[in-house]
Amino acid sequence: MPKPNTLERNVSLKPYNTFGIDVTALQFMEIDDNATLKEVLFSKEHPDSLIIGGGSNILLTKDLERLVIHLNTKGIEVLNKTQNHAQVEIQAGEVWHDFVLWALVHDLGGIENLSLIPGNVGTAPVQNIGAYGVELKDVFVSCQALDLKENKQVSFTKEDCAFGYRDSVFKRNKGRYIITSVILELTTRNHQKNISYGAIASQLKEQGIEHPSINQISDAVISIRQSKLPDPKVLGNGGSFFKNPVVLVEQFTQIQKQYPDIPHYNFGENQIKIPAGWLIEQCGYKGKRYKEVGVHKNQALVLVNYGDAKGEQLWELAQNIQKSVKDKFNVYIEPEVNIY
Ligand SMILES: Cc1cc2nc3c(=O)[nH]c(=O)nc-3n(C[C@H](O)[C@H](O)[C@H](O)COP(=O)(O)OP(=O)(O)OC[C@H]3O[C@@H](n4cnc5c(N)ncnc54)[C@H](O)[C@@H]3O)c2cc1C
């Protein structure tokens, strides 16, 4: 285990990414307090540092010559609590699912549908994490961050974050803002439960639960996720490798003429979202294995490391998939995972 707040050299990043890729960081620091984080990042000694949280949304394709910081700042504080709501500030290094469990213990609602998403709280705004009909933006109030371009501490409101589908100002300005804490507003009673998502509804129905508690919704989500997605501890993966592409209605209509069964969802005005997993499956990749890498047998959006894969092998497979989808459907699928 690395000593906190101490510069180490030549550290394997295998335990720090859920793909389980074994690359080396020339310099590495585990940071557990905000003062050290600020000092290191503002010092200009390490202008190109890479921050890693849970490492569940990164693909490492080479050894990193720069400083890699594993953010491990902890702390949860209730800032204020009214009859209906509580605002809670969470330090960036808290594990997201641990925080969800904390909220459930304190009967705070709003994030139960986001149970079991890997990663840290501080990273959750970066791609506006979402699952089963809920996104982080639904409970987000503000966050604190370090602006590495201006070398100053900044505060972001929900509007400043410009959240979109797996997108935010942080993702669009990669590496510029390092989030240090997040404030969320959760419900203390009259929880706004969202059980409209098909899989949750049928799971609860199967259990004979008509009016679920937030704990029961969380349990249903956990059970669905465990049955559908590979556990990175068992089979290295980064969750959905690609975002679902959004195309104009005219383009979609053309594709639909050839593939009448194509699944799709309306997305804002004049746009349609197509499940990337379906497109990849149509190209014949689902369940395929290529030596140490492959596409998961139950979920074509998930690329997996069967053991000792190199990051480049996974990236090569991802690019082949992108090309096949482009050739077959004339649709570009953008990686959701951050490639380094
Ligand atoms: C099995 C599995 C299932 C998943 N399911 C979902 C899902 O349902 N919904 C969903 O939205 N996502 C899902 N993901 C993706 C992932 O969990 C989220 O993107 C998560 O927020 C990543 O957090 P992390 O701390 O692991 O990020 P990391 O992988 O450590 O970092 C991701 C990126 O954010 C940057 N970063 C890290 N910390 C900070 C910070 N404090 N400030 C600014 N930038 C930072 C990194 O430099 C990197 O570019 C899944 C992943 C896996 C492996």
Side-chain angles (χ1 to χ4, degrees):
M1 279 293 277
K3 253 173 100 192
N5 310 320
T6 310
L7 191 66
E8 315 244 347
R9 285 182 197 281
N10 299 320
V11 172
S12 165
L13 295 179
K14 193 168 177 169
Y16 298 98
N17 72 98
T18 60
F19 269 114
I21 302 296
D22 191 5
V23 296
T24 300
L26 196 65
Q27 296 182 305
F28 180 89
M29 220 174 172
E30 167 117 4
I31 295 190
D32 67 4
D33 77 87
N34 284 324
T36 308
L37 182 70
K38 198 168 153 185
E39 192 187 314
V40 171
L41 289 176
F42 285 176
S43 74
K44 298 282 174 206
E45 243 179 83
H46 307 285
D48 196 21
S49 317
L50 172 66
I51 307 288
I52 296 187
S56 63
N57 204 23
I58 51 173
L59 175 62
L60 303 170
T61 62
K62 53 183 177 297
D63 289 340
L64 299 177
E65 307 266 309
R66 48 182 159 166
L67 171 66
V68 174
I69 295 173
H70 180 233
L71 196 52
N72 202 19
T73 47
K74 301 285 185 194
I76 300 174
E77 187 186 353
V78 177
L79 299 181
N80 61 62
K81 200 168 178 179
T82 62
Q83 265 202 332
N84 295 316
H85 294 102
Q87 288 201 349
V88 186
E89 179 164 24
I90 313 105
Q91 294 302 310
E94 287 285 349
V95 172
W96 172 260
H97 183 61
D98 290 351
F99 173 64
V100 174
L101 297 179
W102 178 94
L104 291 171
V105 166
H106 292 82
D107 196 25
L108 297 175
I111 50 174
E112 52 283 354
N113 292 43
L114 304 179
S115 297
L116 215 59
I117 296 183
N120 284 0
V121 173
T123 329
V126 174
Q127 69 156 5
N128 179 27
I129 57 167
Y132 304 104
V134 173
E135 288 184 321
L136 183 83
K137 73 168 169 47
D138 302 332
V139 292
F140 184 91
V141 176
S142 63
C143 68
Q144 294 292 320
L146 302 175
D147 178 349
L148 302 190
K149 193 171 170 201
E150 301 290 337
N151 252 23
K152 63 177 189 192
Q153 209 159 326
V154 279
S155 185
F156 285 85
T157 63
K158 190 196 294 207
E159 288 66 37
D160 297 334
C161 295
F163 287 125
Y165 161 60
R166 298 296 172 276
D167 200 22
S168 71
V169 69
F170 311 109
K171 193 150 185 178
R172 288 193 288 276
N173 293 274
K174 212 185 254 184
R176 173 168 178 183
Y177 302 110
I178 305 306
I179 298 164
T180 52
S181 69
V182 176
I183 297 178
L184 304 180
E185 183 166 276
L186 304 176
T187 49
T188 52
R189 57 177 199 171
N190 298 330
H191 302 307
Q192 309 281 307
K193 295 167 200 160
N194 186 336
I195 52 168
S196 56
Y197 202 90
I200 300 186
S202 38
Q203 175 86 11
L204 292 167
K205 198 170 168 206
E206 227 170 76
Q207 292 174 272
I209 301 170
E210 226 176 288
H211 302 290
S213 66
I214 51 175
N215 275 287
Q216 286 170 322
I217 295 174
S218 170
D219 288 346
V221 168
I222 289 172
S223 138
I224 297 162
R225 291 185 74 98
Q226 284 175 336
S227 69
K228 271 180 42 179
L229 290 167
D231 178 353
K233 287 191 195 108
V234 180
L235 191 60
N237 75 89
S240 303
F241 198 94
F242 298 100
K243 286 169 68 165
N244 293 319
V246 174
V247 299
L248 289 172
V249 169
E250 298 88 82
Q251 188 185 356
F252 176 74
T253 312
Q254 288 304 316
I255 304 172
Q256 198 182 29
K257 273 189 197 145
Q258 233 183 321
Y259 303 94
D261 297 334
I262 184 169
H264 58 283
Y265 311 92
N266 289 336
F267 187 82
E269 237 174 71
N270 205 26
Q271 290 188 313
I272 303 277
K273 195 196 264 185
I274 308 172
W278 185 87
L279 297 170
I280 297 168
E281 200 176 332
Q282 296 305 304
C283 294
Y285 283 101
K286 193 173 177 179
K288 285 275 169 67
R289 178 172 177 164
Y290 308 87
K291 295 185 180 146
E292 287 301 299
V293 301
V295 177
H296 194 253
K297 62 179 188 326
N298 299 335
Q299 176 49 277
L301 252 189
V302 177
L303 306 194
V304 297
N305 170 7
Y306 281 103
D308 291 323
K310 300 252 178 272
E312 300 110 288
Q313 291 169 311
L314 277 158
W315 184 220
E316 194 186 326
L317 172 59
Q319 287 172 300
N320 288 341
I321 291 173
Q322 273 181 320
K323 184 170 182 315
S324 301
V325 170
K326 179 84 183 147
D327 289 349
K328 194 172 170 80
F329 297 100
N330 195 25
V331 170
Y332 170 71
I333 50 171
E334 180 193 348
E336 182 185 305
V337 168
N338 299 277
I339 318 293
Y340 292 100

